[in-house]
Amino acid sequence: MNGTITEGTAGKTARPRIVLGSTSPFRRTLLEKLGIQFEVDSPEIDEQPQVGEEPEQLVVRLARAKAEAVAARHPDSLVIGSDQVACIDGRILGKPGSRENAVAQLVAASGKRVTFFTGLCLYNSTTSNAQAICEPFYVHFRQLDQQQIERYLDAEAPYNCAGSFKSEGLGISLFSRLEGDDPNSLIGLPLIRLIAFLDAEGIGIP
């Protein structure tokens, strides 16, 4: 979705472009819900955690790093960066990458509460002003047996998703309860906080 936001009345100052620093189709779909024009660019940064880095620190650092990397190519823009990790029993769950790893993750999550930390940054490439937060969201898993896990993986093959599920799809069937301020953050982009960030930059929604 490409384009530059401008005021409809002649003589008004053009709004800055909005750029989503992510190639995630899920984040793109979420941002489209706000009814604003935006561009998409891939941040291409090193996402490895630093030694001793807490999950909350990691996602905020990476969200800002993604936004700044994209902002370097987009002057006079507002760049959105986001990053997410899932944690269970204090351990970060990455993207499984394989069925074997996905089975292990879902077995570990069965009957437990999994915390999703989503980092969000809105970076103004003109002023270098950065607004950044970590938004937590909690997923309570049902007790899952092996057959349920195998059937789910057959249906969605969520091997590129942290936690081994797609909450916007059949993954919802794995949960007993969701807990948090913004369900959009579970999919990867906390829209309520983003709206507040945009408002601080003079862009009102709606």
Side-chain angles (χ1 to χ4, degrees), residues 11-51:
K12 289 189 176 181
T13 303
R15 290 182 178 182
R17 292 180 302 163
I18 296 177
V19 182
L20 175 62
S22 172
T23 56
S24 164
F26 308 117
R27 290 192 177 104
R28 180 172 182 157
T29 298
L30 285 176
L31 190 54
E32 287 172 349
K33 290 169 63 174
L34 301 187
I36 57 177
Q37 291 180 298
F38 63 91
E39 302 172 30
V40 175
D41 195 356
S42 175
E44 299 178 356
I45 66 164
D46 181 1
E47 299 186 26
Q48 289 298 313
Q50 296 176 350
V51 176

Side-chain angles (χ1 to χ4, degrees), residues 1 15 17 26 28 59 67 77 101 119 124 159 164 170 183 203:
M1 190 170 185
R15 290 182 178 182
R17 292 180 302 163
F26 308 117
R28 180 172 182 157
V59 295
S77 299
N101 290 337
N124 186 321
Y159 307 133
S164 301
L170 188 59
I203 296 179

Side-chain angles (χ1 to χ4, degrees), residues 181-184 189-197:
D181 293 334
D182 186 349
N184 298 290
L189 194 63
L191 293 184
I192 293 174
R193 299 302 293 267
L194 178 58
I195 289 168
F197 285 178

Side-chain angles (χ1 to χ4, degrees), residues 14-17 67-68 70-79 122-130 201:
R15 290 182 178 182
R17 292 180 302 163
E68 290 180 344
V70 171
R73 300 190 291 271
H74 295 272
D76 303 318
S77 299
L78 295 174
V79 183
L122 183 67
Y123 186 85
N124 186 321
S125 64
T126 301
T127 65
S128 298
N129 181 58
E201 288 287 355

Side-chain angles (χ1 to χ4, degrees), residues 129-190:
N129 181 58
Q131 302 176 76
I133 54 95
C134 173
E135 183 83 7
F137 198 88
Y138 308 97
V139 175
H140 298 257
F141 276 77
R142 299 164 54 197
Q143 290 287 346
L144 304 173
D145 60 34
Q146 190 70 23
Q147 289 184 334
Q148 288 172 313
I149 291 172
E150 297 288 351
R151 287 199 303 269
Y152 172 66
L153 295 178
D154 286 341
E156 287 202 319
Y159 307 133
N160 66 337
C161 301
S164 301
F165 67 84
K166 297 179 181 179
S167 61
E168 67 279 5
L170 188 59
I172 196 71
S173 68
L174 307 177
F175 311 150
S176 63
R177 186 161 66 92
L178 302 178
E179 179 186 355
D181 293 334
D182 186 349
N184 298 290
S185 65
L186 180 59
I187 305 174
L189 194 63

Side-chain angles (χ1 to χ4, degrees), residues 83-138:
D83 192 76
Q84 184 182 73
V85 297
C87 294
I88 184 169
D89 298 330
R91 178 171 57 89
I92 293 178
L93 301 177
K95 297 176 182 179
S98 70
R99 187 182 183 93
E100 180 182 6
N101 290 337
V103 169
Q105 286 191 354
L106 292 177
V107 167
S110 176
K112 294 185 178 180
R113 186 179 82 162
V114 178
T115 304
F116 283 79
F117 294 108
T118 303
L120 173 69
C121 179
L122 183 67
Y123 186 85
N124 186 321
S125 64
T126 301
T127 65
S128 298
N129 181 58
Q131 302 176 76
I133 54 95
C134 173
E135 183 83 7
F137 198 88
Y138 308 97

